[in-house]
Amino acid sequence: MYTISRNLRITAILLIILGGIGIAVGFMQAPKTIEQAQEIIAKNSEHGGHGEAHGSAHTAGHGDAHAASKVEAHKDAAQTEEAKHEGVAHENVAHKNDTIKKAVDTAVVAAADVKSSESVVAKDTAVAPVAPVVHEEAAKKDVHAAHDDHAAHQAHLEHQFHQLQNKPWAALYVACIFVMLISLGVLVFYAIQQVAQAGWSPVLFRVMQGITAYLPVGSIIFFVILVLSVMHFNHLFVWMDEEVVKNDKLIQGKSGYLNPTFWLIRAAIFLIGWNLYRYLSRKNCLAQDAASDDSFYKKNFKLSAGFLVFFIVSESIMAWDWIMSFDPHWFSTLFGWYVFASFFVSGITTIALVTLYLQSVGELKFVNSSHVHDLAKFMFGISVFWTYLWFSQFMLIWYANIPEEVTYFVQRIEDYNLPFFGMLVMNFLFPLLILINTDFKRIKWVIVMAGIVILLGHYVDFFNMIMPSAVGDQWFIGIPEIGALMFFVGLFLLVVFTALGKADLLVKRNPFIEESKHFHY
């Protein structure tokens, strides 16, 4: 029976503590006022930071919608203030108007008995105030234009303030959803093995079940973040801002689906459904070890088939809700598959890394190089599949060059140039060059190296999907981002390796277990 080592436990706890400190520092460094946000942006500009090109951030739908809504929100106040400022313009012509009125009254009295001159006086009366009225209208226009400029500037400052406030929240969100989806990717891989009646993989079932033990923990933390977002503790999702929705017809059209209550209900259904399958499938698998027939195996087969149907639907909607809705003006029909490929290959990579670690401490003696080779083949194959989806989505949008679609990539190429193209190297070129060789797929240190790069690359992929809409060009991989990643990785290690010690690492009554133990080619 495996037991988590003291060193690994201490390492996991240290990661949690240091990560928690980093998260706290990130929230403490977030600006509390617009003035503090301006100071931070000014410092970033001085040091050549991303704040230098703040104007380009508004190429994104999120920024445009938010800023536009704030301008509209200020218009009412501007109209109220306009009356006060118009008084200044009126004072400049008040004296002239008083003089004109007196002259008009005198002319009317003098012409009371002279009917023939009445029309002339009327004309003079009408013509007299023309010049001051022209000046008055010009003054009104100047005041109105000044207020529009002021409102736009204030809206821009407020938008940047919200972006900087979002930074620690976005860092927490990215790390939380990425690590949680790794365990979901492993759960899906496990279900596929059950439905396919795979003969090579049963020796790895306990490893997969151990990794999925993180799913309930990650789901709870993630759902709490979603609830806090709905309660307006952050400004991550622009469509949750009622002020924005009032002035955005496109978001209004989606409000029947994209509203906080329905959004949370969907999230609860998905998380409960995934965790319910995880609980029942592990329960049946453990019961199968003590059974005298294959009844629990057959139950798991049917349960896994039903789960995969549920997953196919829920995963696509999840991708729209939790990631694509950061940009409510943008959509892609490939997005659900793209997100799936990212966390699916990350899950398979994690299976390989955990397996190799357990072998290094003397466990999993029944796992041979052929099993490891198959895991590496999946790492390579799904990396290519991810690249295919990325290119299909990018090429079509780039070639069509439709403004409301291409904006998504314009912002990422301009403001996130290094992480955007860096993830292509980490997620495609590196795995392609390293894992295309058959012999390399059996060399443990090569797989570990490739696995670490793939996991970091897909974290950057999630970073690229979420951060541009959440923080604009005010991004930086600093204390909040590193701290959040350390916290969730530490929690993941502690939960997973503790769960691995709760059952024997080899399933006993699976119909394909002997085939799996002797799997060679």
Side-chain angles (χ1 to χ4, degrees):
M1 185 79 74
Y2 169 76
T3 303
I4 184 173
S5 68
R6 182 172 177 271
N7 289 339
L8 182 57
R9 187 187 299 274
I10 291 173
T11 299
I13 293 173
L14 283 176
L15 285 173
I16 293 172
I17 294 172
L18 293 175
I21 293 172
I23 293 170
V25 169
F27 279 100
M28 290 170 60
Q29 289 180 342
K32 306 299 186 293
T33 64
I34 292 179
E35 290 71 22
Q36 290 180 358
Q38 286 180 286
E39 291 177 8
I40 293 173
I41 294 170
K43 287 180 181 178
N44 290 341
S45 298
E46 290 175 6
H47 295 292
H50 302 287
E52 253 179 318
H54 63 271
S56 62
H58 291 279
T59 58
H62 183 139
D64 286 340
H66 193 83
S69 69
K70 296 304 180 185
V71 171
E72 292 294 331
H74 281 285
K75 279 187 178 179
D76 292 337
Q79 289 173 357
T80 303
E81 291 293 325
E82 183 180 330
K84 298 178 182 178
H85 287 274
E86 282 178 7
V88 177
H90 288 170
E91 288 177 4
N92 295 331
V93 295
H95 180 69
K96 292 182 180 179
N97 286 345
D98 288 341
T99 303
I100 292 166
K101 287 179 181 178
K102 290 178 181 178
V104 171
D105 291 341
T106 302
V108 171
V109 171
D113 296 325
V114 187
K115 293 182 180 180
S116 61
S117 64
E118 185 176 357
S119 59
V120 176
V121 174
K123 288 179 182 179
D124 292 341
T125 303
V127 172
V130 167
V133 167
V134 170
H135 289 297
E136 181 180 340
E137 290 298 326
K140 283 184 180 180
K141 290 181 180 178
D142 291 342
V143 170
H144 191 72
H147 271 283
D148 278 354
D149 291 342
H150 177 71
H153 180 64
Q154 286 299 116
H156 180 65
L157 291 178
E158 188 175 350
H159 181 55
Q160 288 186 318
F161 171 56
H162 287 162
Q163 286 180 333
L164 290 172
Q165 279 190 320
N166 278 345
K167 197 169 183 293
W169 282 104
L172 188 69
Y173 189 94
V174 171
C176 182
I177 192 173
F178 176 66
V179 178
M180 183 191 73
L181 290 182
I182 285 177
S183 63
L184 178 61
V186 174
L187 186 66
V188 174
F189 188 72
Y190 171 76
I192 291 172
Q193 302 307 305
Q194 292 278 6
V195 172
Q197 298 183 330
W200 71 276
S201 57
V203 294
L204 298 172
F205 279 1
R206 287 287 190 264
V207 175
M208 298 180 200
Q209 290 170 1
I211 296 172
T212 61
Y214 177 80
L215 185 60
V217 178
S219 298
I220 292 170
I221 298 174
F222 183 70
F223 191 75
V224 169
I225 294 176
L226 297 186
V227 172
L228 292 176
S229 297
V230 169
M231 295 172 66
H232 302 293
F233 277 78
N234 56 58
H235 302 274
L236 290 176
F237 297 93
V238 66
W239 54 267
M240 291 185 183
D241 189 332
E242 293 180 0
E243 204 171 280
V244 171
V245 177
K246 286 179 183 177
N247 299 285
D248 194 314
K249 292 183 179 179
L250 187 59
I251 299 179
Q252 287 174 14
K254 299 180 179 182
S255 60
Y257 173 84
L258 210 56
N259 64 79
T261 302
F262 191 26
W263 187 71
L264 276 183
I265 291 173
R266 292 195 300 273
I269 292 172
F270 299 158
L271 293 172
I272 291 172
W274 301 337
N275 281 282
L276 184 62
Y277 168 73
R278 187 259 164 196
Y279 169 77
L280 294 176
S281 64
R282 177 173 169 79
K283 180 182 176 182
N284 288 337
C285 188
L286 292 173
Q288 182 63 35
D289 286 353
S292 57
D293 56 19
D294 296 336
S295 59
F296 288 102
Y297 172 79
K298 292 176 181 177
K299 284 182 181 180
N300 253 0
F301 175 84
K302 295 177 182 177
L303 186 64
S304 299
F307 165 74
L308 288 175
V309 174
F310 174 76
F311 171 78
I312 289 170
V313 176
S314 61
E315 187 278 331
S316 291
I317 300 174
M318 171 273 290
W320 306 337
D321 285 0
W322 300 346
I323 301 177
M324 196 167 74
S325 72
F326 274 89
D327 290 276
H329 288 181
W330 182 84
F331 63 90
S332 168
T333 53
L334 269 177
F335 198 76
W337 282 104
Y338 175 76
V339 173
F340 165 71
S342 188
F343 71 76
F344 190 53
V345 71
S346 299
I348 295 170
T349 300
T350 303
I351 295 172
L353 294 179
V354 172
T355 298
L356 293 178
Y357 170 79
L358 291 173
Q359 283 191 316
S360 71
V361 296
E363 302 290 342
L364 299 182
K365 297 183 185 300
F366 38 82
V367 174
N368 58 51
S369 61
S370 294
H371 296 107
V372 175
H373 181 273
D374 269 20
L375 287 173
K377 283 197 295 186
F378 277 107
M379 290 165 60
F380 172 77
I382 306 301
S383 291
V384 174
F385 176 60
W386 173 88
T387 308
Y388 157 73
L389 293 173
W390 178 89
F391 180 75
S392 297
Q393 181 174 258
F394 174 78
M395 184 272 292
L396 290 174
I397 291 175
W398 170 79
Y399 185 76
N401 200 28
I402 300 172
E404 55 267 31
E405 292 182 355
V406 78
T407 296
Y408 181 87
F409 287 106
V410 169
Q411 185 190 21
R412 282 153 179 79
I413 292 173
E414 290 184 353
D415 296 337
Y416 290 73
N417 192 272
L418 179 60
F420 182 78
F421 290 106
M423 75 167 184
L424 288 177
V425 175
M426 300 171 76
N427 294 337
F428 172 60
L429 288 180
F430 189 83
L432 178 70
L433 297 175
I434 297 296
L435 296 178
I436 197 171
N437 187 296
T438 299
D439 293 334
F440 282 0
K441 293 186 182 75
R442 296 178 183 268
I443 301 175
K444 293 181 179 180
W445 70 266
V446 171
I447 296 174
V448 171
M449 176 181 64
I452 292 173
V453 172
I454 288 172
L455 287 178
L456 290 176
H458 284 284
Y459 167 79
V460 175
D461 185 19
F462 273 78
F463 186 91
N464 283 330
M465 285 190 276
I466 293 170
M467 283 292 185
S469 301
V471 303
D473 61 354
Q474 307 301 323
W475 71 273
F476 183 74
I477 299 181
I479 293 177
E481 291 77 13
I482 296 173
L485 191 59
M486 289 174 64
F487 176 85
F488 286 106
V489 168
L491 185 61
F492 178 86
L493 293 175
L494 185 62
V495 172
V496 168
F497 284 95
T498 299
L500 286 169
K502 293 182 178 180
D504 197 294
L505 291 179
L506 180 66
V507 295
K508 295 181 175 61
R509 281 282 293 110
N510 185 287
F512 298 97
I513 190 61
E514 291 302 319
E515 178 184 345
S516 183
K517 286 195 290 187
H518 298 92
F519 175 66
H520 287 283
Y521 62 90

